[in-house]
């Protein structure tokens, strides 16, 4: 759930910035943003969000797995609070 919320908030702005960086415009940034919005529309600003959720969710899960694996290897409790298995 947290990953989804972290992706939802900045995604439309990130899409706009990516498009701004790829456009050659003579006018102001505001004019370029209007042009991009007219081309993409509201729905277009959200395009690609599913793939981004999968990417960030996978990376976050992998980071937590590495972190907990390391903690277990050095004999500390896991992030879930269960004591490490005694050998």
């Amino acid at each position: 759930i947290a990953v989804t919320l972290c992706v939802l908030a900045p995604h439309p702005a990130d899409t706009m910035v990516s498009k701004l960086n790829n456009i050659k415009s003579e006018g102001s940034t505001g004019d370029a943003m209007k042009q991009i919005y007219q081309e993409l529309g509201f729905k277009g600003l959200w395009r690609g969000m599913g793939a981004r959720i999968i990417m960030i969710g996978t990376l976050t899960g992998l980071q937590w797995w590495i972190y907990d694996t390391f903690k277990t290897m050095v004999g500390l409790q896991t992030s879930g609070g269960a004591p490490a298995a005694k050998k």
Side-chain angles (χ1 to χ4, degrees), residues 54-85:
I54 291 169
M55 178 191 72
I56 292 174
T58 303
L59 290 173
T60 303
L62 183 60
Q63 289 171 343
W64 277 108
W65 177 76
I66 291 168
Y67 175 69
D68 275 347
T69 300
F70 175 77
K71 285 180 72 173
T72 302
M73 289 173 59
V74 297
L76 299 172
Q77 283 186 328
T78 62
S79 296

Side-chain angles (χ1 to χ4, degrees), residues 2-21 33 36-37 40-56:
V3 169
T4 304
L5 294 176
C6 289
V7 169
L8 278 174
H11 188 76
D14 288 344
T15 301
M16 183 65 74
V17 169
S18 294
K19 296 292 183 182
L20 282 171
N21 287 332
M33 289 175 68
I36 292 168
Y37 188 77
L40 295 178
F42 182 78
K43 191 174 179 180
L45 291 176
W46 299 93
R47 194 175 301 133
M49 190 178 66
R52 189 172 179 182
I53 289 172
I54 291 169
M55 178 191 72
I56 292 174

Side-chain angles (χ1 to χ4, degrees), residues 26-38:
E26 296 289 324
S28 70
T29 302
D31 292 337
M33 289 175 68
K34 287 177 190 174
Q35 178 187 349
I36 292 168
Y37 188 77
Q38 287 173 351

